[in-house]
Amino acid sequence: MRSTDAIRRLLALVLGCATLVPALAQQSRDELAKSLPPTNLTSDDVQVGASMIGVAPGFANAKVADNPGAPGATAVGERTCIACHRLESEHFTHTFHALGLHAASKADASIPVCETCHGPGSAHAKDPGAKGLIIGYTKDSGTPIETQTKTCLACHAGGPRDRWLGSVHQRNGLSCTDCHNPMAKFSAEGLMARASINDTCAQCHRDVRLQFNRRSHMPLPEGQMSCDDCHNPHGSVTNPLLKTNSVNETCYQCHAEKRGPFLFEHAPVRESCLNCHTPHGSNQQTLLVTPLPFLCQQCHSGLRHPNDLHTPGSLGNGAHPDERAMGRACVTCHANIHGSNAPSGPKFHE
Amino acid sequence: MRTPRLLRPLPLAAAIAAVAANARADSGVGVDTWRANKLDPTAGATVEGCDARGTSWLEAGGHRTPTGNLYACPPPSPATADHGAWTTSGILSVGAVATGGDDGNALWNRYVDWDGGIVLALLAFEAERAADGSYASVRASRISDDDEYYQAVFGRAGSYKVQAFLRDMPNLVTNTAKPIWNGVGTNHLTLPAGYAAGASTPDAIAGLSAATPERTLGVTREKQGLGFSVYLTPQWTAYANATDEQRHGARPFGGPFFFNFPFPDNGGVLETVKPIDDSTVNLSGGFRYAGTTWRMEFGYSGSFYRDRYTRYTYEMPFALAPLVPGAVSAPLTTGQFATEPDNDWHNLKAAFTRKLPLNGELSITASGGRMSQDDTLIPPVACAGVFGIGLDGNLQTGPQNPYLYDCANWNTPDALSRRSADMRIDTSLLDARMVLQPGADLTLRGGLRHEREDYRNVYLAYNPLTGQYGYVSENGSQGSVVPGESGIWDPTDPSAITRIRSLPLDMQTTEANIGADWKVGARDTLGATLAFSRYEPNHRERGTVDDGSIKLSWTNRALDWLTLRANYTYLHQDGDRYDYDPYDFTYSISLPGFVAPPNGVPAHTVDALRKYDVASRSEHKLDLMATFMPRDDMTVSASLRGDFNDYDADLGRKGYDTLGATVQWEWQPAPGSNASVYYAYDRSKLRMANINEINDGGSNPSIGGNTYVDIGRWWADDTQRNHNAGVVLAHAFGRVRLDASWNYLHARGTTDYRFASPLALAWADTVIGDGAGGGAFPAMTYRVNSFSVGLHIPLHERVALRVFDLYERGRISDWHYLGFATTHAIDHRVYTDGGPQGYDANLVGVLLDVRL
Amino acid sequence: MTAIERVIRILLGGALLAAPLAHASDDLIDLRDAPPVRGDAVAGKAKAAVCSACHGPLGVAVVPTFPNLAGQKADYLYWRLVTFKRAGDADSPMTAQVAHLDDAAMRDLAAWFASLEPAAGTNGAAGMPGATIYRDGDPARGVPPCQGCHGLDARARVGADDAARARLYPVLRGQHAAYLADRLEDLATHPPHTSTAHVMAPIARTLDAASIEAITHWLEAGAP
C-alpha cells in the first residue's frame, strides 16, 4: 500500500474525530456563557442570553471604526447601508467577513457589520458625493491611507502583520486594499484583489512574476505555490520580507535536505542559497545565476583544473570534449555541492 | 472558584497543538499557502466568470486600488441551496483532457502530469451556517495520480478553523535520460549483465548508452497536512500545523573516478542517478496575543528530515591506468555517495510589541534554533581488495608499495574518527525595531538586529586503524592513477597535502538602521533610511564585512491619474584585510608532523581573487513604478528596475548588473470583458575574471611569481536578455464566455570570453597563434510561444460546458548538451541526462461544470 | 481517432449548436453610465400640448395624482418616458401617450419641461416629521436619508460634484404628495427594470405607510 493511502485513511479518521471538537467546544461555550459575566465590552446594553451560542471571540470586539474625516457622524446600521449599496452587499454576503459579522451581529446587536470597517455612516448617507465622510478603501475615496490601514489593523493586528509599521510596503504608501478586497470573493483564498495571490503581487511586481516563466523555476506559474510561501508582504524581520529569519531558513521549508549541517560544508551555501541561485527564475538549469563552469570560477582559481578558460572546443561537439564544461560540468564530479556528509567528501565528490 | 469548563480541556488542547502537523499556515509562518494546479492556477476563482450586473447599482465600472490598479470583477453570487440551518453551494467540474505532439517532453510536463483521460478539474463545495458563522468546505482537483490535491476546512468564523489537505505534485526533471545502470530509483546501481565493472571498454559502454532507451526522471512530492487555529479569547489565538511530505523519484546526479580530460582512456566521469526517497515532517505552533497596548507572539517551528538511504552506490564501468610507467592501478568497481543526512531543526521564537507614546511601537523579537544531524557516517571508501597504485607492478600492499592501501582498513566504519556525524549549528536572533510618529506627516524608525550561527562540532578525518589522516579521494581513483594523491596523509609521508578537518562556519551579523518618512504636502511622501551591517564570519577570507547603505524613496500622487513610486539605494561593502587562504587549519598542513614539500606548499589559490560574497563592492539600485489611469476603465503600469554591482576585485566576480523594464496595459470595458497586453525586457550582465596558472605546483600565490602570470589571465561576460510579451482577452458574447491568451518568452544568453594568451585556456590548441584573443559560446536560448483559448457555454441554469485548448511551442538550446544527440558517452565520460529539448505540444480539454 | 477525441468532437458540435440557445438578452436599462440627455426645448414645447391636459400648461399638474413636471431633471424625464415605453403596461395612462413618441421627441419634451419654473409648493414648516426622515433617514428601519441622492433641498443637487447622480435623480421638492405616494408604491411592487430602480425599490419596500405620509407631505410643502 502506498504511504499516501495509509495517510489518507488516517486523515479520514482524524477528520472524523475532529468533527467532534466543535461539538465539544460548543457545549463548553454555552456553559461558559451562563456561568461567567458577559464579556462583550463594546457597549453597555449587553444582551445576555440573546443567543445560546454567543459572539465568536474574533468578532467580539468589533465596533464602529473611527473616521477622523467625519467627526460628528453616528452609526446608521447595515440595513441603511444596504438600501443604496444592495449589489455590493450581495457580493459581500458570500465572503468570510460577512459570515462572521452577520453571525456576531445576530448574537449581539451592538456589533456593527458594514460600519466595522467603513466607520459611522450618518454623514455619508446625507452627502454621499463628499469624499472622506465614510471610510473608503479605493482610489479617490478621500480616506487617507493611514486611516484605511489603521481600521483593518484594529481587528487584524499582530500575527503576520506584526511588523507592518515600518515595513517597505507601508513606507511606500500601500493600503491593505492594494492587495485585498474583502467585498467579494475574488480569489479562492485570502480575500485578494485578484483571482490569486500571485496575480495580486504581479500587479506591481510583474517583472518578478515573469521571471517565473523562464526555463528553470519553482512551480508558481503552475499554481502549486505562491509568493506568500516565501514572503510575508505585511512586514517581517528581514529586508526581502521573508517569512523566516533568513534566506536559507526560507528555502529549507521545502528543501529540508539541504539543511544539514553537513560534515563538510560549502561556505557560500551555508551563507546564502542566493550566492548561486536566483529564486524567481533562471535561464540556466536549476535556477543558477550563471552557467557552469563560470559560476564556480567566480570563486575558484585553485591550481590544476578549476581555473582554465573553456571555449566551445570543450563541449560535447568540440575538438576536446571536456567534462568540466559538458552536461552538468563541475557538479558531475562535485555532485554533493551543497555539502557532503561523507567522510571522503571534503570536495563534495561523495 | 472551580476551573471554568472551557479551561479544563486546555492541557489536552496544548498537547494536540504540540503534536499537530503543519497544515496550511498563514502569511507569517509556513508554506502551502496555495493549492491549485496547472489546469487552473486560480483554484476555481474564475470558473463562474463575472457578475454581469457589475459592482454597484450606483455607478458604472469598477473601483481602483489606492495605487490605481483596477480590481477584478466580482463573481456572480453562487447558487445556494438550504438544508436546514446550513446553506450550501458548490461546483463540480469533470471532463477529459487529451494531449498531443511532443507531450512527453520534460519542459512541457514540468510540474504537471497531464496523463490524458478523465480529470476532476474542480470539486468545490461549501456549507455555511449563518446563525453562528460555522462553515465547512471541500476543494479538490485531480489531473492524474501524481498531480492532485484535496483539502477540507471547517470551523466557525472568528472562533476556530481546522484544515486538512493532501497534495501530490510532480516534477519532471528530464525526458532524455539514458542511464546505463540497472536499479534506477534504488540505492544500488549496477551495470547490466555483460558489462563488467572496472573492466569495460569505452566503446562497449558507448554502445550500451546508445542502446538504452530514453526515459524520464523526476520526483513526486506527496504532502499531507493538518492544522488548526483557534481564538482562545478575543486577544489570544493559538495555531498548530503539521505536514508530512514524501518525495519519491530519481534525478541525474554524478560520480567521480578522476579526470578524463588530461588522460585519455583513463579516469571516470559518471552521471549516475540518485534515488530520492525521503520525508520531511514540519511542525509549527504558537500563541499570539493582540491587545490594545501589547502584542505578543510565541512560536515553535520544527522540521525533521528523514532519508530512506544513508548512501547509494554505483558500479564504475571503466578500468583505470597509472600515470607512472611500470605501475598498476587497483581495480576499482564501486563508487558511493552519502545522501543527505537525517536532520532535525527546532526553533523557538518570542516577539513582543508595545505601543509607545507619539503613536509609536517598539518590537523585540528573540529567536533561537538548532539544526542538528547525527547520521551514521559511511566509510571513507566502498571498495574491496586494494585501492591506490602498485608502483612495483603488483597489487601487494606493504612498504614497497607505499601508495597502495588495503580496502579493509578504509571500507569500514572502524576507519572513522567517530561513527556518526554529530554536527550541530545553533542559531540565535535578536531584533528590535522602533517606530515613532510624532506628527501626522513624520515617521521615525530605527532598528537593531543581531544574529549568530554557532557550529558546535568539528570533524577530524583520522583513521584509527592506520593512524593516518585524510580521506579517500574520488572513491580511491585519484590515488590509483596518480601516486601519492589518494588523499591520505601518513606520518611517514609527511608532505601530502589533503583535507583533514571540517570547516566550521560560525558567523554573526549585527545591523543597525535609522530612517524617516516625511509627508511633504498631501501628495508626496519622501523617505530615507540609513543602514549599517557588520557580518563577521569565522574561517572565511575576511573576518569583518561591513555594509553601509542609504535608501531614498519617493511616493507621489500629485496627479489624479498617476501614482509614482521611486526607490534608490546606494550600498557600499567593505571589510578588513582579505586573507586569500584562511584554510590551512583544515588541511594536513596544520598537522604537527607535516613537512613542506621541497618546492614549497602549492598556493591554495591566487591572492588577487576576491570571493564575491565577502568582496568589497558598491551597488546602485533603482526601482521605479508608475501606474497611469488614462480612462476610468483602463490602467497602464510601467516599471523600471536596475541593480548595478561593481566589485572591487581584480579576479573573481567584477560586476553584476541587471536591468528590467515592464509595461502593461489593462482595459476593463464591461463586466466579463477585459483585455491586457504586456511587454517586459530584462537584461543582466555578469562580468568575471580569472587566471590560469603556468605551474601547477607553484607556491607563490601572487601574480607575477612562479605560479600565476599575467598571460594566464582571462575574462568572461555572461549576458542574459529576456523578452516577455503577452495578450490576455476575455469577453462575454451574451452568455457564452471566451477567453484567450498568448504568452511569449524569448530568453537569450551569451557567454563571451577573452584571454591574454592561449595559456589561459583549457585547450590551447583550439585557438590560432599565441597572442590575446577571445570568442563566445553559442547562444543559450529558450523561446516559448504559448497560446490558449477557452469557451464557456452555459447549457442550462446549473450546467455549463467548457472547452479549451492550450498549444505551446518551445525551443531551447543549451550549449552544455551540444553533441549529446549523437552520444551520451565519450571516452570515460558517461552522461545520463541528454539535456532539455524543444517541443510542440497541445492540450485539449472538455469539462462539464455542474452547480451543486 | 481515439475515444477521447471522438467524445470531444461530439461535445464541441453540441456546444456550438447550443450556443445560440444559451444566449439570453438582458433588458436592464443601465443608467449608471448613461450619457447626458440633450434635447431641443423649443421643439419640445410644440409637442407638449397633449401633455398639458394632465400635467398642466406650465408643467404643474392640477390633479394631485399626476406629477408636476416643471423643473424636473431632463435626464430623469427622458428615461421615465423610455421605461413607460418599454414596460408597455396596459393599466398606465402614459403607455398610450408614449406610443407615438420617438426618441428625439422624448428628449425634446424632457428638455422643455426641465426648462420650466418648478412648483412653488404650499407653506410648510421645517418641524414637520417628514423633514427628519428626509434629512436623517430612519436607521432603525434601514431607511437612508433621502437627501443623500435627492439633495438637502430636495432639488437633487447633491453635495459634491457627481455628474451622473446629479442628472438622474429626480427633483422631489414641491411634488404632489399623492403622486409621490403612488410612485413609491409602484416602485415597491413592480419597479421598472432600470439600475436606479434597483436602488429605490428596496427603499420603497422598507418605508412604512406613516413614513411615506410624512415625507411626501413635507416634500409637497416645499420647505427647505
Side-chain angles (χ1 to χ4, degrees), chain A residues 2 4 7-8 22 29 53-54 56-58 61 85 88 90-91 96 103 137-139 158 162-163 171-173 177-178 181 185-186 189 194 203 206-207 210 213-215 217 222-224 226 228-229 232 234 236-237 243 245 253-254 256-257 259-261 263 265 270-271 275 283-284 290-292 294 297-301 303-305 307-312 316-317 320-325 327-328 332 336 341 343-344 349-350, chain B residues 24 26-27 30 32-33 36-38 51 53-54 56 64-65 67 70-72 75 77 111 126 139 148 151 156-160 166-167 169 221-222 224 251 253-255 259-261 271 282 295 303 336-338 340 343 353 365 367 373 378 380 431 433 445 449 455 472 475 485 502 535 557 560 565 567 609 612-613 629 641 652-653 664 666 686 690-693 708 714 720 722 747 753 760 762-763 765 777 814 816 818 829:
Chain A
R2 278 160 50 128
T4 324
I7 300 290
R8 284 200 186 111
R29 214 168 269 119
I53 293 164
N61 287 341
H85 294 285
E88 291 92 321
E90 202 184 314
H91 293 140
F96 193 78
Y137 295 88
T138 59
K139 185 159 173 44
D162 206 35
R163 291 285 180 142
R171 294 194 325 251
N172 274 285
T177 50
D178 272 303
N181 188 337
K185 205 169 176 200
F186 297 100
E189 289 177 36
R194 291 288 174 120
Q203 290 178 110
R206 174 133 310 258
D207 53 344
L210 289 173
N213 293 347
R214 293 184 192 169
R215 167 201 176 170
H217 59 270
E222 289 81 3
Q224 306 277 13
S226 77
D228 199 35
D229 279 348
N232 180 354
H234 308 106
S236 94
V237 294
K243 287 166 93 160
N245 295 339
Q253 290 178 114
C254 291
E257 74 277 5
R259 184 188 298 125
L263 212 59
E265 298 259 294
R270 181 58 59 189
E271 199 219 357
N275 278 327
N283 294 317
Q284 319 303 331
T290 280
L292 299 168
F294 297 97
Q297 291 175 317
Q298 291 175 98
C299 287
H300 291 283
S301 188
L303 298 174
R304 303 197 7 192
H305 74 284
N307 54 4
D308 304 1
L309 170 63
H310 290 275
T311 66
N317 63 350
H320 291 281
D322 193 321
E323 57 268 27
R324 298 171 291 173
R328 291 170 66 248
T332 317
N336 255 331
N341 214 41
S344 288
H349 291 129
E350 285 188 26
Chain B
R24 192 210 74 172
D26 52 24
S27 50
D32 296 308
T33 58
N37 53 33
K38 191 157 179 184
D51 189 337
R53 297 171 298 174
S56 167
R64 292 180 182 275
T65 69
T67 296
L70 287 164
Y71 284 112
S77 302
Y111 302 125
E126 274 156 31
R139 194 171 88 224
E148 54 184 353
Q151 75 177 38
R156 184 179 168 221
S159 183
Y160 73 95
L166 213 142
R167 60 191 303 202
M169 294 171 279
R221 291 180 183 244
E222 292 167 29
Q224 304 88 40
R251 54 157 293 185
F253 203 54
F259 307 127
N260 186 209
F261 74 88
E271 192 180 48
N282 283 347
R295 293 199 300 266
S303 175
Q336 63 171 3
F337 274 106
E340 289 99 347
N343 67 61
T353 305
T365 304
S367 158
Q373 63 101 350
I378 65 174
D431 183 297
R433 189 177 301 197
R445 328 168 236 114
R449 179 188 167 101
Y455 273 65
V472 181
N475 300 296
E485 289 200 358
S502 68
Y535 169 57
R557 295 179 212 255
D560 273 340
R565 292 194 167 100
N567 284 282
L609 176 80
Y612 57 86
D613 60 337
M629 294 149 257
R641 175 188 294 268
R653 183 187 284 187
Q664 176 169 306
E666 193 187 343
L686 190 148
N690 209 321
I691 188 166
N692 201 350
E693 74 275 5
Y708 301 99
W714 58 267
Q720 302 285 327
N722 300 278
Y753 55 84
W763 300 100
D765 63 356
F777 278 80
D814 182 345
H816 294 96
L818 287 176
R829 305 170 194 86

Side-chain angles (χ1 to χ4, degrees), chain B residues 72-73 121 127 192 195 212 276 361 405 449 491 525 532 545 548 657 671 673 717 743-744 796 836 843:
Chain B
C73 62
Y195 297 90
T212 305
I276 307 279
E361 263 182 18
Y405 309 88
R449 179 188 167 101
T525 307
F532 172 77
V545 179
D657 301 335
S673 296
D717 293 344
N743 287 284
Y744 175 71
H796 176 265
L843 170 84

Side-chain angles (χ1 to χ4, degrees), chain B residues 395-420:
Chain B
L395 294 172
Q396 296 298 321
T397 57
Q400 77 287 5
N401 272 330
Y403 300 126
L404 191 65
Y405 309 88
D406 279 313
C407 286
N409 283 335
W410 291 91
N411 67 2
T412 157
D414 295 334
L416 300 170
S417 62
R418 59 174 186 252
R419 293 306 181 94
S420 66

Side-chain angles (χ1 to χ4, degrees), chain A residues 3-304:
Chain A
S3 56
T4 324
D5 297 331
I7 300 290
R8 284 200 186 111
R9 287 174 201 202
L10 181 63
L11 258 178
L13 178 66
V14 169
L15 278 173
C17 294
T19 51
L20 294 174
V21 170
L24 293 168
Q26 207 141 304
Q27 282 176 338
S28 313
R29 214 168 269 119
D30 290 347
E31 311 255 335
L32 181 65
K34 285 180 194 157
S35 67
L36 293 179
T39 51
N40 178 14
L41 304 170
T42 58
S43 81
D44 292 332
D45 50 328
V46 172
Q47 299 178 30
V48 178
S51 157
M52 286 300 289
I53 293 164
V55 178
F59 292 95
N61 287 341
K63 59 179 182 31
V64 175
D66 176 39
N67 182 5
T74 55
V76 295
E78 183 189 18
R79 294 186 58 192
T80 305
C81 308
I82 289 179
C84 295
H85 294 285
R86 177 151 293 268
L87 192 50
E88 291 92 321
S89 167
E90 202 184 314
H91 293 140
F92 177 65
T93 296
H94 300 287
T95 68
F96 193 78
H97 282 107
L99 181 67
L101 286 167
H102 284 146
S105 190
K106 272 196 196 75
D108 179 355
S110 68
I111 293 180
V113 180
C114 312
E115 290 163 304
T116 309
C117 301
H118 289 285
S122 65
H124 165 75
K126 291 176 187 171
D127 192 0
K131 296 188 188 176
L133 291 182
I134 195 92
I135 300 179
Y137 295 88
T138 59
K139 185 159 173 44
D140 298 335
S141 65
T143 305
I145 305 274
E146 293 73 32
T147 307
Q148 297 176 26
T149 55
K150 188 162 158 245
T151 307
C152 302
L153 289 172
C155 285
H156 291 284
R161 296 152 297 273
D162 206 35
R163 291 285 180 142
W164 170 253
L165 200 55
S167 70
V168 63
H169 284 135
Q170 184 265 326
R171 294 194 325 251
N172 274 285
L174 263 79
S175 167
C176 307
T177 50
D178 272 303
C179 301
H180 294 285
N181 188 337
M183 289 305 298
K185 205 169 176 200
F186 297 100
S187 64
E189 289 177 36
L191 290 174
M192 310 308 299
R194 291 288 174 120
S196 68
I197 296 176
N198 302 338
D199 292 337
T200 302
C201 303
Q203 290 178 110
C204 292
H205 299 286
R206 174 133 310 258
D207 53 344
V208 177
R209 171 63 186 85
L210 289 173
Q211 283 178 34
F212 276 94
N213 293 347
R214 293 184 192 169
R215 167 201 176 170
S216 67
H217 59 270
M218 288 189 272
L220 185 138
E222 289 81 3
Q224 306 277 13
M225 63 185 285
S226 77
C227 312
D228 199 35
D229 279 348
C230 298
H231 296 281
N232 180 354
H234 308 106
S236 94
V237 294
T238 63
N239 269 342
L241 292 178
L242 300 174
K243 287 166 93 160
T244 62
N245 295 339
S246 69
V247 166
N248 286 26
E249 255 180 58
T250 305
C251 306
Y252 297 151
Q253 290 178 114
C254 291
H255 301 282
E257 74 277 5
K258 306 279 186 303
R259 184 188 298 125
F262 300 95
L263 212 59
F264 295 104
E265 298 259 294
H266 192 191
V269 172
R270 181 58 59 189
E271 199 219 357
S272 167
C273 306
L274 300 184
N275 278 327
C276 298
H277 293 283
T278 171
H280 303 128
S282 161
N283 294 317
Q284 319 303 331
Q285 51 122 346
T286 56
L287 290 168
L288 295 177
V289 170
T290 280
L292 299 168
F294 297 97
L295 176 70
C296 314
Q297 291 175 317
Q298 291 175 98
C299 287
H300 291 283
S301 188
L303 298 174
R304 303 197 7 192

